[in-house]
Amino acid sequence: MNDHELIINRLYKLLNDRDMSINRLSKRSGVKQSTISSLIQRPTGVPKADTLRLLCEGLGISVKEFFDFPPYNQRTDDTSVKEEESKWEKLGNALTPDEKERVRKILNGEI
């Protein structure tokens, strides 16, 4: 499945989950209905970032939430982003406050 199909399928799923029509999404997002229809009908159409952001606002979600499905939330080694974040969260919880402060300084270039 190509990016266009993945994005359009995701859009339809989100619309269906919210019992929302394309017309209603258009009104809520400020994206013309003809633009949304063109995006759907064009076999290689992938929305520009600003259009996708507006559509997500109309759906009441973030762009990150929009792309939170395979293959977009997976790495090439088949590790999902959530699994990776969970590892970091566990590591962070295992650190002492002093260790957390040292890591923060390292990440901010203070050390």
Side-chain angles (χ1 to χ4, degrees), residues 47-107:
K48 294 188 298 182
D50 58 340
T51 302
L52 186 57
R53 183 184 51 76
L54 290 171
L55 292 174
C56 288
E57 286 177 11
L59 291 164
I61 62 171
S62 68
V63 174
K64 180 179 177 180
E65 289 172 293
F66 184 90
F67 285 108
D68 190 15
F69 70 99
Y72 295 114
N73 64 355
Q74 293 180 325
R75 298 174 188 259
T76 54
D77 64 359
D78 281 340
T79 305
S80 76
V81 174
K82 286 184 179 180
E83 289 171 335
E84 199 64 31
E85 288 173 353
S86 177
K87 290 178 188 175
W88 279 103
E89 188 175 291
K90 287 177 187 175
L91 175 64
N93 289 337
L95 297 175
T96 67
D98 289 341
E99 290 169 328
K100 287 180 183 179
E101 180 60 20
R102 181 160 171 78
V103 169
R104 186 196 64 74
K105 287 180 179 180
I106 291 169
L107 293 173

Side-chain angles (χ1 to χ4, degrees), residues 20-38:
M20 187 184 296
S21 67
I22 292 173
N23 184 43
R24 185 166 170 223
L25 175 60
S26 172
K27 289 178 181 175
R28 290 185 63 174
S29 66
V31 177
K32 292 180 184 178
Q33 185 171 347
S34 61
T35 300
I36 299 171
S37 295
S38 175

